[in-house]
């Protein structure tokens, strides 16, 4: 098994595998953040991990980020594909899938929307600041990183590393703060197409079970809801979610 960059992505596994998995990371993370999950997937799966917001040239709005990401995802859809997005990645996965042309979208078998507030809630609290760090200070962002978890303790003892991490998180939160619900297929209007799965951590107070249920209003097919042990980063901290994802890559729609 190898890890290598391909056309702006990080990839894991055999490129000629019959099934592809696309993993979209959370705010403040990177393609490498999802590697522990990628390594749990079977050899029959080629995993692609895109970076969602280039630190050297960050997008200033959610719509701009999706516009950049769309062609990069579309070019990957040449075989049965499972798309998973976690937190911010779930919102971007949903927007990209809605915007895909039909000839590419038909390759998507499953969409997993993990650990995210619903589009309705996210759009209702978006404040549309003119730039990153306008309404969220660096101190507040650092506190959020500590509160949500998912970061090694060493991060908070290295001022330079913490500065870089807070900068990345600030630019990503700018995308969430400028979120607009994508114009897509009406709720319940699609009898066929990808199966939708909305996953959440039982201890996640913001991306809760109630929020998971609200996703149904934004999806063209009723989603499969599933909760897992853990909080916001349950996906990377507990084996059950990885096992469920493994099943989707080997058994088709779950």
């Amino acid at each position: 098994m190898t890890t290598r960059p391909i056309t702006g992505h990080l990839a894991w596994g055999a490129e000629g595998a019959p099934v592809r998995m696309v993993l979209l990371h959370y705010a403040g993370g990177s393609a490498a953040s999802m590697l522990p999950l990628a390594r749990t997937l079977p050899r029959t799966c080629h995993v692609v991990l895109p970076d969602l917001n280039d630190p050297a040239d960050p997008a200033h709005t959610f719509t701009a980020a999706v516009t950049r990401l769309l062609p990069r995802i579309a070019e990957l859809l040449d075989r049965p594909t499972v798309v998973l997005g976690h937190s911010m990645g779930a919102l971007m996965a949903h927007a990209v899938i809605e915007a895909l042309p039909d000839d590419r979208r038909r390759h998507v078998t499953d969409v997993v929307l993990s650990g995210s507030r619903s589009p309705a809630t996210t759009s209702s609290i978006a404040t549309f600041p003119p730039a990153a760090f306008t309404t969220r200070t660096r101190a507040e962002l650092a506190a959020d990183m500590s509160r949500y978890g998912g970061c090694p303790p060493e991060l908070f003892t290295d001022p330079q590393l913490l500065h870089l991490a807070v900068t990345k998180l600030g630019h990503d939160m700018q995308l969430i703060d400028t979120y607009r619900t994508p114009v897509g297929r009406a709720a319940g209007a699609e009898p066929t197409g990808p199966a939708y799965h909305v996953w959440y951590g039982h201890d996640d107070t913001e991306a809760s079970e109630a929020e998971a249920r609200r996703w149904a209003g934004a999806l063209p097919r009723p989603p499969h809801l599933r909760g897992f042990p853990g909080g916001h980063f349950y996906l990377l901290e507990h084996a059950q979610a990885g096992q469920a994802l493994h099943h989707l890559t080997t058994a088709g729609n779950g």
Side-chain angles (χ1 to χ4, degrees):
M1 303 289 279
T2 59
T3 304
R4 63 187 182 85
I6 55 167
T7 61
H9 307 314
L10 196 64
W12 173 263
E15 190 168 356
V19 176
R20 178 164 278 151
M21 169 75 67
V22 179
L23 300 179
L24 306 184
H25 62 78
Y26 48 88
S30 67
S33 302
M34 304 297 278
L35 269 175
L37 182 62
R39 290 174 175 143
T40 69
L41 297 173
R43 292 178 178 269
T44 53
C45 182
H46 180 239
V47 187
V48 180
L49 308 98
D51 270 319
L52 302 184
N53 198 12
D54 183 357
D57 182 26
H60 297 295
T61 68
F62 182 85
T63 300
V66 170
T67 299
R68 290 184 185 182
L69 183 63
L70 179 60
R72 296 166 56 201
I73 299 300
E75 71 176 0
L76 298 171
L77 302 179
D78 60 359
R79 70 195 75 178
T81 302
V82 178
V83 177
L84 176 144
H86 183 70
S87 196
M88 177 186 76
L91 295 169
M92 296 191 75
H94 173 238
V96 166
I97 296 301
E98 289 297 294
L100 283 170
D102 290 341
D103 66 325
R104 294 293 180 171
R105 193 170 182 270
R106 66 182 176 84
H107 292 292
V108 181
T109 62
D110 296 84
V111 181
V112 182
L113 305 165
S114 167
S116 174
R117 286 172 166 154
S118 66
T121 297
T122 307
S123 62
S124 72
I125 61 177
T127 57
F128 294 92
F133 309 106
T134 303
T135 58
R136 299 174 187 267
T137 67
R138 287 183 172 273
E140 290 169 338
L141 290 165
D144 284 343
M145 292 172 67
S146 177
R147 177 164 59 94
Y148 280 102
C151 299
E154 296 80 6
L155 175 68
F156 300 97
T157 62
D158 185 327
Q160 184 176 6
L161 188 59
L162 181 60
H163 178 83
L164 292 172
V166 168
T167 299
K168 180 69 167 67
L169 179 60
H171 287 303
D172 286 352
M173 292 308 299
Q174 173 71 6
L175 304 186
I176 295 175
D177 288 339
T178 56
Y179 176 80
R180 295 185 188 275
T181 304
V183 177
R185 298 155 180 83
E190 187 177 65
T192 60
Y196 288 88
H197 309 262
V198 181
W199 292 358
Y200 60 94
H202 288 304
D203 300 326
D204 193 338
T205 58
E206 295 184 359
S208 61
E209 180 179 0
E211 278 300 308
R213 294 186 181 281
R214 292 196 75 186
W215 267 98
L219 301 176
R221 298 180 69 185
H224 306 279
L225 267 62
R226 185 167 178 180
F228 294 89
H232 188 65
F233 288 100
Y234 76 92
L235 191 69
L236 301 173
E237 295 171 349
H238 297 276
Q240 291 92 329
Q243 292 165 356
L245 196 60
H246 189 293
H247 176 74
L248 288 183
T249 69
T250 56
N253 293 355

